[in-house]
Amino acid sequence: MVDSIFSKVVKSGKMTYFFDVKEAKNKSKYLTITLSQPSKEDPKKLSRRSINVFGSAAADFAKALEEAIGQLK
């Protein structure tokens, strides 16, 4: 089991976002972003989706995210 180095939870209505920084066996760090929300098929169950962002792509990912957020304003 991989322990998180950092964890942050953001709740927005029925959706919950989890941001976890973890360390792989080779000591490289990566970010996992997980969305948890009620399942469309069975609202009593939760649906979870995750993406991993590895250190080599983190700067480009952060830049693209900043640009996208800028478009929301």
Side-chain angles (χ1 to χ4, degrees), residues 22-59:
K22 300 178 181 181
E23 188 173 273
K25 288 181 183 179
N26 67 1
K27 303 295 182 190
S28 63
K29 294 177 184 172
Y30 62 97
L31 169 66
T32 299
I33 302 171
T34 303
L35 166 64
S36 178
Q37 68 185 71
S39 172
K40 291 179 183 176
E41 293 81 29
D42 184 355
K44 293 179 183 178
K45 293 185 179 181
L46 292 176
S47 169
R48 294 175 68 103
R49 294 186 196 105
S50 297
I51 63 166
N52 293 323
V53 180
F54 297 94
S56 58

Side-chain angles (χ1 to χ4, degrees), residues 61-73:
F61 181 87
K63 183 178 177 186
L65 182 59
E66 272 186 47
E67 290 175 18
I69 290 171
Q71 295 299 312
L72 297 174
K73 296 178 181 178

